[in-house]
Amino acid sequence: MKKLATVGILLWSVSAVALADVRAELQQKLASFDRFSASFSQQVFDEQGAPMQSAQGTMQLARPDRFRWHTVSPDESLIVSNGNDVWVYDPFVEQVSIAPLEQAIQNTPFLLIAGGDGRRWQQYDVARQGADYVVTSKDPGELISQFSLRFDGNNRIQRFTVIESGGQRSEFTLQQVNTKPATGADTFSFTPPDGVMVDDQR
């Protein structure tokens, strides 16, 4: 019995080291670029895997902790992080919500992708499944329970999948990928238009 327990501990140790190595490998790939832009197409599936809707838009990332995610169809929405705060703007209802960066990270994997704080990764397990890096949250209360990333031969993100805690899945395919995009001073900032209701949670 003692031998079995010892073997179990050794296997757990080897597994923990392997997961840490994969996590470091993924972090190294993400750290190979400081900026990133692409257009995307999104397909959303329900809990049973049936397609629900599709969307298109553009994205820009910049380290540390800045990103701009602009969905243009079928409905427009905008999510912007300046590295300190995150704005979520819905033009249809004319409302913008503002939250601190660390609060918003629980609802989006993009701050991990663009993040500069390696301590955040301690909250996730990372494993390889074929060509994909699969990132799973250790917190069952998070909205995003798992996401996966796939890179092309030039270490550029090619596609990623996001799975919510309720089982809904979104698959994103990227085009026009650029790891040296030109960004303006206003790319990662947002000023609410006149008349828009502001929900400031800071």
Side-chain angles (χ1 to χ4, degrees):
M1 199 71 180
K2 190 173 183 180
K3 286 184 178 180
L4 288 175
T6 302
V7 170
I9 291 171
L10 287 173
L11 288 175
W12 179 85
S13 299
V14 171
S15 176
V17 170
L19 288 174
D21 287 346
V22 175
R23 181 164 53 203
E25 182 181 316
L26 174 57
Q27 287 178 274
Q28 186 175 15
K29 280 181 176 288
L30 292 172
S32 67
F33 53 85
D34 291 324
R35 292 176 294 166
F36 183 90
S37 70
S39 58
F40 69 85
S41 57
Q42 175 187 7
Q43 181 68 56
V44 182
F45 301 87
D46 66 16
E47 296 84 345
Q48 286 73 44
M52 294 174 57
Q53 62 181 19
S54 58
Q56 288 79 38
T58 61
M59 60 178 290
Q60 291 91 32
L61 302 174
R63 297 184 185 280
D65 297 331
R66 293 169 293 165
F67 71 88
R68 186 181 190 89
W69 183 268
H70 188 194
T71 301
V72 295
S73 68
D75 300 308
E76 186 181 12
S77 64
L78 180 65
I79 307 174
V80 179
S81 168
N82 66 357
N84 296 305
D85 302 304
V86 177
W87 289 261
V88 180
Y89 174 49
D90 187 335
F92 181 74
V93 298
E94 297 184 319
Q95 178 174 325
V96 60
S97 299
I98 311 171
L101 180 75
E102 293 304 322
Q103 178 180 326
I105 194 174
Q106 298 180 1
N107 298 323
T108 175
F110 309 119
L111 287 172
L112 277 176
I113 296 173
D117 188 350
R119 292 172 299 178
R120 293 176 187 153
W121 285 94
Q122 300 305 313
Q123 304 170 35
Y124 299 86
D125 289 324
V126 184
R128 285 290 297 270
Q129 291 184 7
D132 295 336
Y133 292 86
V134 180
V135 182
T136 305
S137 173
K138 296 178 181 179
D139 181 359
E142 275 204 23
L143 174 62
I144 305 299
S145 62
Q146 187 180 88
F147 71 97
S148 62
L149 291 155
R150 181 177 298 180
F151 296 81
D152 64 16
N154 295 314
N155 277 348
R156 300 176 304 184
I157 300 173
Q158 187 177 51
R159 59 177 294 150
F160 57 90
T161 300
V162 177
I163 301 177
E164 297 183 10
S165 56
Q168 183 173 295
R169 184 175 87 256
S170 294
E171 296 182 354
F172 299 85
T173 302
L174 307 186
Q175 300 92 22
Q176 299 174 313
V177 175
N178 186 352
T179 55
K180 295 183 179 179
T183 54
D186 60 345
T187 301
F188 304 109
S189 63
F190 182 77
T191 301
D194 292 340
V196 167
M197 183 170 66
V198 178
D199 176 20
D200 195 335
Q201 301 172 20
R202 292 172 294 182

